[in-house]
Amino acid sequence: AQSVAQPEDQVNVAEGNPLTVKCTYSVSGNPYLFWYVQYPNRGLQFLLKYITGDNLVKGSYGFEAEFNKSQTSFHLKKPSALVSDSALYFCAVSPRAGANNLFFGTGTRLTVIP
Amino acid sequence: DTGVSQDPRHKITKRGQNVTFRCDPISEHNRLYWYRQTLGQGPEFLTYFQNEAQLEKSRLLSDRFSAERPKGSFSTLEIQRTEQGDSAMYLCASSLIVNEQYFGPGTRLTVT
């Protein structure tokens, strides 16, 4: 079975500081990992994905994520947080290549404090 | 706006009534997905279409739920005999590339 854990319900960070939103996963076989962001009254927006290759994946809005196979983690990072980054962030895993469904974590609410 | 659109955005209904939601995907996307999201949870997969064919259904999709995509473009999700437990946000997503899904704003259903 596949699952995703986001251990922090809430992350607060000061504007300009680096941010990390944590995600760990469990899946048989090679993982396909994703980050989505959800702003109020708007749909989930795709940020980035890891399929294969370089463990450091760069995505939209200056975000990046690091795949760590030994720790089964896929943490989302940004070097310098903006107030506009405040939103709900979801990590997701696809159980296999070409799978049609995503399994999402419960989300982490990021608040960037001015 | 050329993103995924959903209608209505909000629906309040009484227990036992039927409701139908519509999703219009991004025009060139042949894959369409429905998810359900309850408060404090991430989206949960319900069903998947490739063109007009419904290829995958979650065990969450009880027999009161039915989804169609008759011409391989828009899709509808119908819930019959609604229950209070059906209250949730219903999300539609579409994709051209497998595993890169674009989500609509959702339809929030409240069953009273």
Side-chain angles (χ1 to χ4, degrees):
Chain A
Q2 50 282 316
S3 65
V4 172
Q6 293 182 244
E8 301 158 318
D9 292 335
Q10 173 82 41
V11 170
N12 297 325
V13 63
E15 186 177 21
N17 282 3
L19 70 87
T20 299
V21 182
K22 295 179 180 177
C23 171
T24 58
Y25 66 89
S26 173
V27 65
S28 56
N30 295 322
Y32 293 73
L33 297 158
F34 306 81
W35 276 102
Y36 282 81
V37 59
Q38 190 171 37
Y39 296 101
N41 299 315
R42 295 178 64 180
L44 286 161
Q45 294 182 32
F46 171 81
L47 277 180
L48 51 80
K49 66 180 178 182
Y50 171 83
I51 302 296
T52 186
D54 194 345
N55 288 346
L56 186 63
V57 178
K58 294 189 182 298
S60 307
Y61 313 120
F63 284 93
E64 58 189 25
E66 186 169 12
F67 170 65
N68 187 316
K69 188 172 183 177
S70 63
Q71 297 186 1
T72 62
S73 67
F74 189 58
H75 300 332
L76 182 69
K77 300 182 180 183
K78 188 172 182 182
S80 179
L82 301 173
V83 173
S84 58
D85 292 331
S86 298
L88 189 56
Y89 290 81
F90 289 96
C91 182
V93 64
S94 178
R96 62 188 183 280
N100 300 308
N101 51 334
L102 295 174
F103 289 86
F104 285 84
T106 52
T108 297
R109 184 163 300 281
L110 172 69
T111 301
V112 181
I113 302 164
Chain B
D1 191 315
T2 56
V4 178
S5 61
Q6 293 187 244
D7 183 69
R9 296 290 305 274
H10 304 274
K11 178 71 176 179
I12 300 173
T13 191
K14 293 184 178 179
R15 185 164 51 96
Q17 297 295 305
N18 299 345
V19 294
T20 299
F21 310 141
R22 177 179 170 123
C23 170
D24 286 90
I26 294 172
S27 60
E28 65 268 26
H29 287 185
N30 61 339
R31 295 178 169 89
L32 187 145
Y33 315 78
W34 284 98
Y35 289 80
R36 181 175 67 186
Q37 185 178 17
T38 54
L39 198 62
Q41 299 297 317
E44 297 172 295
F45 171 78
L46 292 178
T47 190
Y48 159 72
F49 289 85
Q50 184 161 332
N51 299 312
E52 67 275 10
Q54 187 175 19
L55 298 183
E56 195 164 342
K57 292 167 64 173
S58 161
R59 283 173 290 181
L60 291 174
L61 210 66
S62 77
D63 56 6
R64 295 185 298 106
F65 287 69
S66 63
E68 294 182 345
R69 194 182 183 198
K71 297 182 180 179
S73 56
F74 73 92
S75 175
T76 58
L77 177 68
E78 180 183 16
I79 309 174
Q80 296 182 327
R81 305 181 303 281
T82 52
E83 301 173 356
Q84 287 188 323
D86 297 331
S87 295
M89 178 76 84
Y90 290 84
L91 300 171
C92 177
S94 70
S95 74
L96 185 60
I97 301 170
V98 172
N99 289 330
E100 195 166 311
Q101 299 177 21
Y102 292 83
F103 284 79
T107 294
R108 182 170 296 283
L109 173 66
T110 302
V111 181
T112 61

